[in-house]
Amino acid sequence: YQGQIAPKNLGRAPRFNKLDLHFGQELPLPFVKNGKFEMFADIENLLNLIDSDLGTLRQVAFPYYGTLVNVACQTVTNGVATAVTTPAQRCDRYQYSNRTGTTFAEPVLSTFSPASFWQVRIGARVTF
């Protein structure tokens, strides 16, 4: 989109999928009226357990925007450009650069660990 206005919501984070699984087995308690014994296992983020690239949340870091380009105002006098430092100075041209100042780059995606981990909980419950 060089020299044009980029469309709204152009940059999007990669898709995030999370699959949770619950196994449970309920058995009657033989000597207690209406008593039940339940064993269970909960697996959170099963996709990440299967493959570490699946079920991983990757986003541009807080506050959820990434700098694609920096723009600086410059004043040109006798062919020499100087940076505008006060609002009273005129702006003759814009100087575009990225974070390093030489080339344009996409924002860096960060992996959010708590949402990307898998975990397994195993337990038992008695009700009567």
Side-chain angles (χ1 to χ4, degrees), residues 10-121:
L10 173 70
R12 295 182 182 260
R15 184 177 174 138
F16 173 65
N17 296 310
K18 183 178 177 184
L19 178 66
D20 298 336
L21 194 59
H22 173 83
F23 292 107
Q25 178 64 49
E26 194 174 272
L27 303 169
L29 283 175
F31 302 108
V32 179
K33 184 178 180 182
N34 296 329
K36 297 176 187 172
F37 177 72
E38 181 185 2
M39 296 178 295
F40 62 89
D42 291 323
I43 303 173
E44 291 189 31
N45 204 355
L46 178 66
L47 297 175
N48 193 259
L49 174 64
I50 295 169
D51 183 355
S52 62
D53 288 336
L54 297 173
T56 302
L57 179 59
R58 292 184 182 94
Q59 289 182 329
V60 175
F62 183 80
Y64 305 113
Y65 70 87
T67 302
L68 297 174
V69 63
N70 292 326
V71 180
C73 227
Q74 294 183 337
T75 300
V76 179
T77 308
N78 297 329
V80 177
T82 56
V84 172
T85 55
T86 66
Q89 291 177 295
R90 71 180 194 277
C91 183
D92 295 327
R93 74 176 192 187
Y94 296 108
Q95 177 66 40
Y96 297 94
S97 64
N98 78 340
R99 295 175 297 278
T100 61
T102 55
T103 60
F104 300 103
E106 292 185 22
V108 177
L109 295 176
S110 300
T111 299
F112 287 86
S113 298
S116 302
F117 289 151
W118 61 268
Q119 62 181 340
V120 176
R121 274 188 232 128

